[in-house]
Amino acid sequence: MKKKTLVAALLIVVLLSIGVYFYMYQGHRDITSEEVKFVLTVKDLQHQFATDAVGANAKYLDKTIEVSGTITSVDRASHSLVLDEKLSAVFKDSVLGDVKLHSSVKIKGRFLGYDDLLEELKLDEASFSE
């Protein structure tokens, strides 16, 4: 009886360990290959957060979106840029070499959220859309 209980307990521990391992080391998302869920402008996205932040957060948070706007700031050292002074996008790779200020672009990335203190939208794993 003790032997069966010990074997059952050991089996449960092994199964739990395997489950925790696969949960902790699950595959990472590849945003560049994901299908875009929403296509909009920075102004439209900003307006949605200004009118209903909770609803907009539920709709866009952690989704792959495509945003269009005008480049107002570029930081090549941190691989990031700002669109329309409202959306901060961090790029996965160093692709900002030939980016020009005040040019219109479309960016695809994962929406991270809205910083209501700075009134800034945040996007990461960004790439330029065609």
Side-chain angles (χ1 to χ4, degrees):
M1 187 68 163
K2 281 186 178 184
K3 193 174 189 177
K4 285 184 182 181
T5 306
L6 183 63
V7 170
L10 186 60
L11 183 63
I12 290 172
V13 168
V14 168
L15 289 175
L16 282 174
S17 299
I18 291 170
V20 167
Y21 173 80
F22 282 114
Y23 178 76
M24 296 290 288
Y25 296 103
Q26 58 187 329
H28 297 285
R29 290 170 60 184
D30 183 19
I31 300 299
T32 55
S33 67
E34 281 188 19
E35 185 177 326
V36 173
K37 303 285 187 206
F38 301 98
V39 177
L40 60 164
T41 66
V42 174
K43 292 182 191 325
D44 291 339
L45 190 59
Q46 176 68 28
H47 176 71
Q48 289 184 34
F49 273 91
T51 56
D52 180 20
V54 174
N57 231 351
K59 184 176 181 180
Y60 298 113
L61 190 63
D62 202 34
K63 303 278 190 321
T64 302
I65 64 171
E66 181 180 272
V67 182
S68 58
T70 304
I71 299 173
T72 54
S73 175
V74 178
D75 185 358
R76 287 178 175 79
S78 66
H79 311 292
S80 64
L81 57 81
V82 176
L83 296 182
D84 294 333
E85 298 179 355
K86 293 293 179 184
L87 184 129
S88 173
V90 178
F91 284 76
K92 190 174 181 178
D93 299 316
S94 177
V95 295
L96 300 176
D98 58 350
V99 171
K100 307 263 190 278
L101 282 176
H102 308 296
S103 60
S104 295
V105 293
K106 289 183 182 179
I107 294 176
K108 174 183 176 181
R110 178 177 59 153
F111 184 72
L112 292 178
Y114 176 69
D115 183 344
D116 56 352
L117 181 63
L118 298 175
E119 295 182 356
E120 184 177 63
L121 303 157
K122 297 191 181 275
L123 201 70
D124 78 341
E125 296 190 39
S127 61
F128 288 105
S129 296
E130 315 240 332

